[in-house]
Amino acid sequence: MNEVLLVDSVLLFLVTVCAVAIIEVRSLYAVAMLTSVYSLLMALVWTNMHSMDVAFTEAAVGGGISTILLIGTLVHTRRDEKPAKKRVHVPALLVTLLTGGALIYGTFDMPRFGDPEATIHHYRVPEMMSQTVAFVSEREGKQAPPEGYEPPPRMVPTAAPPHGHDAAHGDEAEHAAEGADHGAEGEHHEDGGHHKHPADDFNGHVPNSVTSLLAAYRGFDTMFETTVIFTAGMALILLLRRPREEESTPQEGATLRGQVILRVMTKIFIPFILVFGFYVITHGEIGPGGGFQGGVILATAFILYALIYGRNALYRIISPKTLDVLAAVGVLLYAGVGVACLALGGKFLDYAVLDKVSPGDGEALGMTLVEYGVGITVCTVMIIIFNQLAEEPAKAKAS
Amino acid sequence: MSELLGIYNYWIYVVLMMIGFYGVIAKKNLIKQAIALGLFQTGIFLFYISMAVVDGGTAPIWTTIGDGSIKALGPYDNPLPHVLILTAIVVSVSVLAVALAIIINIKWKYGTIEYDEIAAMDRASGGGDDD
């Protein structure tokens, strides 16, 4: 039996139990903690399915940030759900059973779990994986496919023994090894980007396919996802920020400063969290990670500080105004990279033209800048959201 | 048996989605509803990531071989669903945050976050469009 599936079945059973508990438990604090457990279990599920980047995000977002947000909200609202009159809501149960039945019926047509022949692995994905979309679409400003270039074999992502080591692939691998002698000082993306040969193309790009797809093939999508996050931050400010005159007398809520263990442990942890966050952002192209994950991890350091030392202490480090500006700067940096590509004669977010600025690793440069943009926006927006939800209830606001 | 195991993940995705769906319909507490919506979302995430798995595959990150060059050793899981879900998770926390902010505003205005009480107040004050 598939070993992925073995671990998977146990974890997913726990996840399901957790989900039922989340719906049924009435104490909302308990629910907040259960969602944290649920997310950590989910992160394990993602890891088990080799989706490292998603696991990172889920652990940081679900296990960390959203739990804090929920608890921050519970401070303002009631702690318990009102008991329902009936234990089971019959119409809802009927609707869900019907919908669920229809969906389960649909799953019988799904390809088997892990089937390498499933359609999803073939349409366009091999080209994306080998980062040769440029050749396939033959756009302007890019070189035509070099002589002897062959379209990637059908299953580049799984170009493994079971699926045949066909000629084109063996060739590529050979050249990849050959091309390694120039600039193989451990900096992987230094050699290449020139499209001398498909093998170089293969060798000079970013190793983490998730990041390369995120920033290049789905660059527009990612840019607007970042905009969505930015918009959410702005929405929080509009919904919850108090008028300026009230802001001038910030109330210091109860802090945990008096707790020696928490205070000392926070001071010890924060540098490590920050270093790890920066590592995740900067190494997004080489290993698992990137702007989204790193941004959230960085934000947790600031939020932890604010939780223990109070938000006024946080504002002394980084003022609300700076946060607002930085959130916009991140999105602008992303869009700016796109505009820079336009200015250099390419298309929007066509990182290849950045080779003119930084010969050899234009793509890596573009993607790194974009990741920084995403990281800055995600980090600051998460802090903004936390700050807004942690505002003291404005009693004067009752209309 | 292996046929059924092959779609086990898809069943769990349906179950998670339906638990969330039930919560959205049946629960009157607005915070519970927001969380249930999150459960619904994770069901969909599970669906996408499950589709990405390839037998014997590993994380879609090319391997650094001995001499420092990078090589696709494969087989790899499909990275495209990972990309989609990675951004979706961060967007989902933004959605949750906006929902919670709106809930806090409702609490300030109505003094409760139970949907039926809010509806009753709206009816009492005539139509609910008193703003």
Side-chain angles (χ1 to χ4, degrees), chain A residues 8 25 38 50 81 114 157 225, chain B residues 6 9 32 42 55 76-77 91:
Chain A
D8 196 50
V25 171
Y38 178 86
H50 312 126
E81 189 186 359
E225 301 268 19
Chain B
N9 265 42
K32 262 291 180 63
T42 43
D55 279 337
Y76 289 128
D77 288 342
V91 170

Side-chain angles (χ1 to χ4, degrees), chain A residues 59-220:
Chain A
V61 164
I65 303 261
S66 54
T67 311
I68 295 173
L69 296 187
L70 279 172
I71 292 178
T73 312
L74 291 180
V75 173
H76 297 287
T77 60
R78 55 191 290 171
R79 280 116 175 96
D80 288 299
E81 189 186 359
K82 201 180 63 163
K85 286 186 203 81
K86 283 172 290 182
R87 192 87 184 109
V88 178
H89 193 286
V90 178
L93 197 63
L94 280 180
V95 170
T96 46
L97 284 180
L98 266 178
T99 320
L103 286 172
I104 295 238
Y105 177 68
T107 61
F108 287 110
D109 286 338
M110 290 296 293
R112 182 182 55 80
F113 181 74
D115 186 358
E117 298 303 314
T119 322
I120 180 173
H121 303 309
H122 297 292
Y123 180 68
R124 295 290 264 164
V125 170
E127 287 92 340
M128 289 189 273
M129 277 290 287
S130 59
Q131 300 175 12
T132 51
V133 180
F135 293 148
V136 175
S137 62
E138 284 178 12
R139 52 187 166 163
E140 254 188 1
K142 270 271 199 188
Q143 272 170 270
E147 210 141 306
Y149 171 77
E150 279 181 60
R154 205 159 153 257
M155 274 305 286
V156 168
T158 61
H163 303 291
H165 241 294
D166 44 309
H169 214 78
D171 187 44
E172 247 173 351
E174 239 173 65
H175 281 270
E178 239 173 63
D181 17 356
H182 46 95
E185 309 296 343
E187 280 303 318
H188 317 304
H189 49 261
E190 274 199 340
D191 55 341
H194 293 304
H195 310 304
K196 285 192 283 286
H197 186 276
D200 278 341
D201 202 32
F202 214 61
N203 201 15
H205 287 47
V206 289
N208 185 355
S209 317
V210 175
T211 303
S212 79
L213 282 188
L214 186 83
Y217 192 74
R218 299 193 60 82
F220 280 56

